[in-house]
Amino acid sequence: MDIVIARQQGRALAASVGFTGSDLTLIATAISELGRNILVHAKHGEIAMSLVHVGAKKGIHIVARDQGPGIADIAQAMRDGYSSVNSLGLGLPGTKRLMDEFEIVSVVGQGTTVTASKWVR
């Protein structure tokens, strides 16, 4: 249920800054994937969203953070088809493709933070 709420709030926030149509769907999908990763791998975490303005650029900034097991090999986790839980292995690399900016910071035993941004075109 929390993922559904985060998805709805993210979509509304993105619409308020000027995103429309398929971009709203891409943002909502990215939020869903990041939330699902938190639930599956860490059980608990948070997703924070904010609007960003850099010069004339406007967008949305999403930070998904957990204190789970962390990712030992980020490069491997970012390969299409890799999964540690028998899924399709498209979550993180797919989310990266949906967004304009994407970064993962992870420490084994301490958790993972994924930061992603999308800019209004």
Side-chain angles (χ1 to χ4, degrees):
M1 190 61 160
D2 289 341
I3 293 173
V4 172
I5 292 168
R7 182 181 166 99
Q8 290 170 341
Q9 290 176 346
R11 190 178 177 96
L13 188 63
S16 77
V17 76
F19 285 102
T20 60
S22 62
D23 278 340
L24 290 172
T25 301
L26 298 178
I27 292 164
T29 301
I31 293 167
S32 292
E33 287 296 328
L34 294 172
R36 189 189 75 73
N37 276 353
I38 290 171
L39 287 177
V40 168
H41 298 286
K43 307 298 182 233
H44 302 283
E46 65 182 10
I47 297 177
M49 297 164 278
S50 60
L51 297 179
V52 289
H53 300 273
V54 178
K57 288 176 31 174
K58 299 181 295 183
I60 188 167
H61 187 72
I62 302 164
V63 179
R65 175 179 304 117
D66 67 59
Q67 289 76 44
I71 301 170
D73 187 341
I74 292 173
Q76 183 179 36
M78 291 303 297
R79 282 197 333 236
D80 283 332
Y82 172 77
S83 173
S84 62
V85 293
N86 295 321
S87 68
L88 294 175
L90 298 174
L92 288 174
T95 300
K96 181 178 181 180
R97 285 190 293 272
L98 296 176
M99 303 301 285
D100 295 322
E101 297 174 13
F102 182 91
E103 177 186 41
I104 297 177
V105 176
S106 189
V107 177
V108 173
Q110 293 184 20
T112 301
T113 300
V114 176
T115 305
S117 300
K118 190 150 190 78
W119 300 104
V120 176
R121 302 204 191 305

